[in-house]
Amino acid sequence: MSTRPEVLFPLFATLTSLDGVGPKTAAALEHAGIATPRDLLFTLPNSGIDRTRYDTVQGLETAAMVTVEVEVLRHMPAPTRGRPYRIEVRDAAVVFQLIFFHARGDYLERQMPVGARRVVSGKLEHFDSMAQIVHPDHILPLEDAAAIPGFEPVYPLTAGLTQRTMHKAAASVLSLAPELAEWIDPGLVSREGWPDWRSALTQAHAPTSQGDLAATTPARQRLAYDELLAHQLTLALARVDRRKKRGRITRGDGRYKSRVLKSLPYQPTAAQVRAIDEIAADMASDTRMNRLLQGDVGSGKTLVALMALLVAVEAGGQGVMMAPTEILARQHVEGLQPLAEAAGVVLELLTGRDKGAERAAKLAALAAGQIGILVGTHAVFQKDVAFHDLRLAVVDEQHRFGVRQRLELGAKGTRADVLVMTATPIPRSLALTQYGDMDVSILDEKPPGRTPVKTALVNIGRVDEVVDSLRTAVASGRQAYWVCPLVEESETVDLTSAEQRFKTLRSALGDGVVGLVHGQMPPAEKDAAMARFVAGETGVLVATTVIEVGVNVPNASIMVVERAESFGLAQLHQLRGRVGRGSAASTCVLLYRAPLNETGRRRLEIMRQTEDGFRIAEEDLAIRGAGDLIGHAQSGLPRFRIADLERQAALMEVAQRDARALLTQDPGLTGARGQAARHLLWLMEQDKAIRLLSVG
C-alpha cells in the first residue's frame, strides 16, 4: 500500500474545501503553517475563555469575562467625532453600558432595538464607577444564545485569521475525520484510559474548562502519543531496513588492545569496559553497526573509540576517525599516537593542509593498507581518498555532521560499521528523537585522575578580587582560562569584549603572561596563541567560546566565565570541562551581573550543584526547550504539532518500545494493527517509512 488510503483523502484536500475558508483565509492559514485540513485537525486550542452565564454584573471584578442577559434601554450616539457610541442596558439588578468606537449607529439599532432582550458576552470594566463592556464579543437574541459555549476554546492565530473563522473551520474538519481502526497497543490504551483517535480529537477541540487544555488530559496525551509513535515507527523501520543490509564480520584477536591496556597508567572504568564490549559485539555480527557513544566531558570516549579502531586493524582492516575541526583532529592524534605506538599500529593525520607530494604519499600508503588508523577532518570525504579495507568509521561530535555525511563516510568502505561519539550529553527523550534508529552506549563514570571542579558564583563587582587571586595562582605556575561572551564592544549588548579584558589583565598581570584567542583572528594566529598556552608560555588565555570543544591542557586548573548568565547550561558545562584534567585542584568561577532573572539564577545554581552532564542536559531541556537545545537549524528534530518533548519525555520511551515490539510481531505491518499503523504513518506524513515498507 504505497499510495495514500482513500479514507484519508478529505484530510489532504485543499483548505477551501472547509466551511468558511475562502482563498484569502486559506492563504492566511498557509502562512501560519497550516497547508491541509489534516494540519488544522492537529492545531488544537491553546487557551480558552470562561463564558459562564451570570444574572448580573453587580459585584463582579473589573476585567472579569461576563455573559449576561440584558434589556436594551436607550442608544446614546457619539456626541462628537472620536467619542464612543453608548447603549444603556439593564440586567437582573443594575443598569450599565455597552461601548462601541467607530460604530455605525444604524447597524447597532438593528442589532439591539430598544426594548429587546439580548445575551451579551465580553470583558467587564468600570469607568467613573459605572460598569461597562467595550465591544462585546457576542450579542445574540435569546433563542440563539445557546451558541455561546460556557467555555470557548481559543486557537493560536496569525494576521488575517479570526477566532470565528477558526471555530468554523475546525468544526468542519472534525466532521471530515474518519473512524479509524486502533493502532496503539490495546493494553496501553486501556491502562492509560485513552479515548479512540476520533473521540480524542473531538474532545481536544471542545474543552469545557481550563483543565481540559492541559497536556496531561487523556485526549491530548493520546494525540501526542500518536505523533511520537509514528516518529518511532519510522525510526524503527529505518533500523530494520539497515539491519537487512549485510555488514561484515569484524573480529579482533585482542593483540593490539592488550598492548594498549598494559601501557595505560590506570584501569578503564566499568562504563568504558561495557561500551568497548558492546561495540566489539556489534562489529563481530554480520549486520552493520550504527551506534552512538554518549559520554560526558572527560568520561574517556577517546579510549573506547581507539579500542574499536584496533578491532578493525586486528581483523586485517582499517579504521577512520573524523573530527569537525583541524584543532580537534590534531588533538586526537596527540592523544592517540603514543597508544598506537605502544600497540605497534600506524596512525596518520589527513587534513586540508596536506598538499602535493606529502598528501600523495599518505594516500598511496592508505590505499595500500599500510596505514591502520586515519584521523582527519571532512578532508577524508574527498574523491581521491581510497582505503584498502575500511571496516570502521568513527565520527566525533555528531551534531556537526549530518546523516548524509554519515552515509558518505560509510560508503568509503564496503559495508563499514559506524560509531558516532558525542560529548554533549543529550537528555534521553531527545536522544530517542534524534538517534532513535541507533543503538546507544553511555559513559556515565569519570576515569580515575579527573579531579572534581569546585564551582563558585561571584558578582562582577568583585572582579578585582578574582584578578588578585589569579595573580597568585599564575605566580605559583598554574594556568587559567578567562572566557568572554563577545569579541567587540557593542552598544546594544553591554558585554565586556575579549579585547578589553585582554588589555586590563595584561596591565594587571604583566606582559607575556596573557594570551588571546577569538573567532575573528586568522587561523594561524589563533593556533599560535593556543600553542603558546599549551606549552605553558602564557599563564592566562583570554578567549571567546572558541575553546569550548575539546581543547586539552592538563595544567589549566582555573576557568573564569564572564557574564556567565548569558551562556546556556550546556555551554557552561562544556567550558567547565576544560579544567580538572590534571592533578591540581580546579576551580570554575562564574562571574555574573546582578540582578539575575529567574532563568539565569536557576542555570547558575544547577552549575553549582552538579557536575553530572546528563542531569544538566535534562535541566537545560526543561529551561530552553528541545529546538534551542540542539539549535533549530540543524536539530533535525521532527516538528510535532501536539507532542511536547520537554514535558512528555516518558511517552517517547513508551512509543519506542511499542514501535519496536509491533515490528517484531508484524514486520510487514500486514496484520490488523499493522494496517492501522500504516494509516497512522500516512496521517503523520511519514512517507519515508511507507516507502521502506513497500520496498521491504
Side-chain angles (χ1 to χ4, degrees):
M1 185 175 71
S2 50
T3 51
R4 184 181 291 130
E6 210 167 309
V7 65
L8 298 178
F9 285 1
L11 297 182
F12 290 89
T14 58
L15 286 168
T16 47
S17 62
L18 299 176
D19 291 348
V21 179
K24 249 172 93 173
T25 304
L29 284 166
E30 280 182 33
H31 187 67
I34 296 170
T36 58
R38 169 248 175 229
D39 294 344
L40 187 68
L41 199 56
F42 294 134
T43 303
L44 303 184
N46 57 356
S47 63
I49 299 168
D50 187 348
R51 294 203 187 273
T52 307
R53 287 278 283 268
Y54 291 96
D55 292 334
T56 174
V57 300
Q58 191 173 28
L60 294 177
E61 299 280 311
T62 292
M65 191 53 73
V66 295
T67 305
V68 63
E69 185 181 326
V70 298
E71 180 190 349
V72 181
L73 300 181
R74 64 183 176 132
H75 283 245
M76 299 141 75
T80 56
R81 251 183 94 93
R83 307 292 295 156
Y85 188 111
R86 297 168 184 272
I87 301 178
E88 199 168 74
V89 296
R90 178 190 320 151
D91 63 21
V94 290
V95 170
F96 65 99
Q97 291 180 349
L98 307 179
I99 311 288
F100 300 88
F101 289 93
H102 317 298
R104 295 204 328 274
D106 55 340
Y107 168 76
L108 286 173
E109 279 173 358
R110 281 200 309 279
Q111 272 270 70
M112 302 190 75
V114 172
R117 299 192 75 76
R118 294 283 182 266
V119 172
V120 296
S121 185
K123 192 177 276 181
L124 183 67
E125 292 172 10
H126 289 90
F127 185 71
D128 279 351
S129 74
M130 160 72 90
Q132 57 181 32
I133 296 176
V134 180
H135 288 284
D137 304 325
H138 298 277
I139 302 172
L140 293 171
L142 303 194
E143 60 273 19
D144 298 337
I148 305 177
F151 186 82
E152 183 178 15
V154 173
Y155 288 89
L157 290 185
T158 53
L161 295 173
T162 63
Q163 286 301 335
R164 197 155 294 161
T165 310
M166 288 295 283
H167 281 241
K168 203 167 179 182
S172 170
V173 75
L174 278 168
S175 69
L176 298 176
E179 295 278 354
L180 295 172
E182 184 57 84
W183 46 71
I184 301 179
D185 172 42
L188 180 61
V189 173
S190 65
R191 191 167 71 243
E192 295 292 336
W194 287 341
D196 65 76
W197 178 70
R198 204 166 180 282
S199 309
L201 282 165
T202 309
Q203 289 168 31
H205 279 280
T208 56
S209 69
Q210 211 60 43
D212 288 350
L213 296 164
T216 48
T217 60
R220 284 192 178 231
Q221 221 174 358
R222 188 243 142 86
L223 294 172
Y225 187 77
D226 290 340
E227 281 188 308
L228 300 177
L229 179 63
H231 174 65
Q232 287 298 329
L233 266 173
T234 301
L235 289 176
L237 280 163
R239 188 165 174 258
V240 168
D241 182 61
R242 203 189 55 251
R243 293 189 155 194
K244 278 191 219 146
K245 296 188 172 73
R246 308 298 289 180
R248 291 173 67 195
I249 293 175
T250 300
R251 248 192 220 106
D253 55 15
R255 64 184 190 279
Y256 296 142
K257 280 164 72 173
S258 61
R259 286 180 202 165
V260 168
L261 289 173
K262 275 200 194 88
S263 74
L264 290 176
Y266 57 84
Q267 287 289 306
T269 63
Q272 283 174 312
V273 172
R274 187 175 63 232
I276 290 167
D277 291 346
E278 287 168 346
I279 293 163
D282 277 3
M283 291 174 73
S285 84
D286 62 356
T287 50
R288 278 173 81 166
M289 170 168 80
N290 195 25
R291 187 171 278 278
L292 175 71
L293 175 63
Q294 221 189 327
D296 208 342
V297 183
S299 56
K301 289 180 297 300
T302 318
L303 178 69
V304 174
L306 174 67
M307 289 304 193
L309 290 162
L310 289 175
V311 170
V313 182
E314 286 171 359
Q318 293 165 297
V320 63
M321 183 177 204
M322 271 186 67
T325 64
E326 191 164 323
I327 269 190
L328 274 178
R330 288 185 183 284
Q331 233 172 39
H332 279 312
V333 169
E334 276 163 35
L336 294 173
Q337 195 74 61
L339 297 173
E341 277 168 16
V345 169
V346 180
L347 179 140
E348 268 294 354
L349 174 70
L350 183 71
T351 71
R353 282 197 204 177
D354 290 307
K355 297 281 186 286
E358 193 184 344
R359 178 179 162 88
K362 278 187 188 176
L363 295 184
L366 191 67
Q370 291 155 1
I371 294 173
I373 297 171
L374 184 70
V375 178
T377 56
H378 52 260
V380 305
F381 281 141
Q382 286 160 354
K383 288 267 187 296
D384 58 348
V385 179
F387 290 83
H388 176 63
D389 179 12
L390 179 62
R391 298 293 188 98
L392 172 68
V394 178
V395 181
D396 187 17
E397 285 301 328
Q398 156 61 21
H399 54 274
R400 317 275 177 102
F401 292 108
V403 175
R404 194 173 51 84
Q405 282 105 323
R406 283 211 302 252
L407 296 174
E408 274 179 34
L409 189 62
K412 282 277 180 196
T414 40
R415 314 193 295 269
D417 288 320
V418 176
L419 177 68
V420 173
M421 302 198 300
T422 171
T424 315
I426 306 164
R428 184 148 169 76
S429 57
L430 283 193
L432 288 177
T433 311
Q434 261 198 308
Y435 308 113
D437 60 327
M438 303 179 88
D439 300 302
V440 181
S441 292
I442 292 180
L443 297 180
D444 45 13
E445 301 170 53
K446 292 223 167 143
R450 291 289 308 222
T451 49
V453 179
K454 179 171 166 267
T455 302
L457 310 186
V458 179
N459 190 315
I460 193 90
R462 292 171 49 203
V463 70
D464 292 345
E465 295 172 36
V466 175
V467 175
D468 285 343
S469 54
L470 213 52
R471 190 182 290 110
T472 313
V474 171
S476 70
R478 293 169 69 189
Q479 286 177 284
Y481 296 99
W482 189 299
V483 177
C484 303
L486 274 190
V487 179
E488 282 155 350
E489 285 294 349
S490 129
E491 285 158 8
T492 47
V493 192
D494 176 26
L495 296 174
T496 319
S497 75
E499 302 275 353
Q500 261 327 101
R501 181 55 68 197
F502 171 63
K503 285 176 190 143
T504 56
L505 286 175
R506 197 173 53 183
S507 64
L509 305 174
D511 262 354
V513 177
V514 187
L516 172 69
V517 285
H518 59 67
Q520 275 141 52
M521 290 164 89
E525 257 180 62
K526 199 164 32 182
D527 287 356
M530 284 297 304
R532 282 197 297 276
F533 185 65
V534 171
E537 290 163 27
T538 44
V540 178
L541 186 65
V542 175
T544 54
T545 51
V546 289
I547 62 145
E548 186 184 324
V549 180
V551 277
N552 187 14
V553 183
N555 191 44
S557 58
I558 299 163
M559 167 64 71
V560 180
V561 183
E562 192 162 340
R563 292 303 302 268
E565 75 278 10
S566 67
F567 289 86
L569 261 176
Q571 248 187 331
L572 288 172
H573 179 62
Q574 288 287 337
L575 288 168
R576 177 168 64 186
R578 300 297 114 227
V579 296
R581 294 174 163 247
S583 51
S586 295
T587 311
C588 175
V589 178
L590 302 178
L591 282 174
Y592 66 89
R593 179 164 298 179
L596 285 173
N597 64 15
E598 191 43 48
T599 307
R601 166 169 290 114
R602 189 170 152 197
R603 273 200 195 122
L604 299 185
E605 275 302 326
I606 291 159
M607 287 299 295
R608 184 158 65 184
Q609 286 162 16
T610 181
E611 276 195 78
D612 176 350
F614 288 94
R615 178 163 162 226
I616 286 171
E618 295 287 355
E619 291 284 352
D620 207 10
L621 176 63
I623 294 174
R624 282 203 289 167
D628 287 345
L629 200 60
I630 305 175
H632 267 301
Q634 86 282 37
S635 72
L637 284 178
R639 281 305 187 20
F640 296 128
R641 285 183 184 268
I642 298 170
D644 176 340
L645 279 181
E646 288 92 271
R647 292 175 189 77
Q648 297 179 312
L651 274 186
M652 181 65 93
E653 296 203 35
V654 181
Q656 189 193 47
R657 284 199 301 272
D658 196 5
R660 287 186 177 183
L662 174 59
L663 284 176
T664 306
Q665 293 152 13
D666 182 5
L669 296 185
T670 49
R673 192 180 153 209
Q675 292 288 354
R678 285 171 176 253
H679 278 130
L680 170 69
L681 289 170
W682 278 114
L683 194 58
M684 296 302 174
E685 301 182 311
Q686 297 289 344
D687 309 7
K688 293 194 296 291
I690 308 274
R691 279 204 301 279
L692 286 175
L693 273 169
S694 50
V695 170

